[in-house]
């Protein structure tokens, strides 16, 4: 899997990042979700996980031609936290080529989400 960097929302030791892939999908890098209340509400298959990202990370989708506002809070967004961050569900990234292109701190992980699923979140696209 080849990645194209779209953007990030970084502060020291925090680096949620958005990438486009060569597989008509996106890789969303974000914080590992450990909140038991959130995890209890999300059904995951064995090859899926969730990440938490700032809502404003999604503005970087415009660099890949997906413009508009996120208004349809449907999967892959499975929850919105009290602070307004998104909980995003997707396939766990196991592709070593892809992982080698990213810098993932120990408190973060990443998921792959299809482009059509991400596009369905937006109005104005």
């Amino acid at each position: 899997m080849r990645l194209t960097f779209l953007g990030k929302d970084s502060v020291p030791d925090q680096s949620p990042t958005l990438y486009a892939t060569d597989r008509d999908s996106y890789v969303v890098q974000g914080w590992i979700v450990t909140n038991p209340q959130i995890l209890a509400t999300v059904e995951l298959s064995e090859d899926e996980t969730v990440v938490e990202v700032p809502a404003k990370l999604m503005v970087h989708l415009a660099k890949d031609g997906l413009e508009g506002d996120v208004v349809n809070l449907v999967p892959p967004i499975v929850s919105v936290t009290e602070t307004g961050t998104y909980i995003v569900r997707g396939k766990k990234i196991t592709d070593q080529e892809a992982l080698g292109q990213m810098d993932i701190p120990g408190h973060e992980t990443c998921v792959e989400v299809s482009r059509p699923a991400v596009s369905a979140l937006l109005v104005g696209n």
Side-chain angles (χ1 to χ4, degrees):
M1 178 189 318
R2 300 252 179 211
L3 303 179
T4 301
F5 173 81
L6 297 179
K8 63 187 336 178
D9 182 23
S10 290
V11 295
D13 298 324
Q14 312 276 334
S15 55
T17 308
L18 185 64
Y19 302 90
T21 77
D22 60 351
R23 301 187 333 184
D24 199 33
S25 63
Y26 294 98
V27 170
V28 182
Q29 177 182 329
W31 304 298
I32 295 171
V33 177
T34 59
N35 182 318
Q37 292 174 319
I38 292 173
L39 293 172
T41 65
V42 180
E43 290 186 37
L44 298 171
S45 64
E46 205 160 298
D47 65 343
E48 292 181 315
T49 192
V50 290
V51 295
E52 182 177 354
V53 297
K56 63 185 175 180
L57 182 66
M58 298 304 174
V59 302
H60 299 295
L61 291 167
K63 296 173 186 167
D64 195 47
L66 291 184
E67 297 191 36
D69 296 321
V70 174
V71 295
N72 299 315
L73 299 177
V74 297
I77 296 176
V78 294
S79 184
V80 179
T81 68
E82 291 177 2
T83 60
T85 59
Y86 294 152
I87 306 299
V88 178
R89 179 180 69 206
K91 300 261 186 208
K92 295 176 186 174
I93 303 293
T94 58
D95 182 290
Q96 291 304 308
E97 180 183 5
L99 291 169
Q101 297 171 67
M102 296 183 276
D103 179 23
I104 306 173
H107 60 279
E108 294 183 9
T109 191
C110 54
V111 296
E112 182 180 12
V113 180
S114 76
R115 182 183 173 97
V118 172
S119 183
L121 301 172
L122 306 175
V123 165
N125 186 28

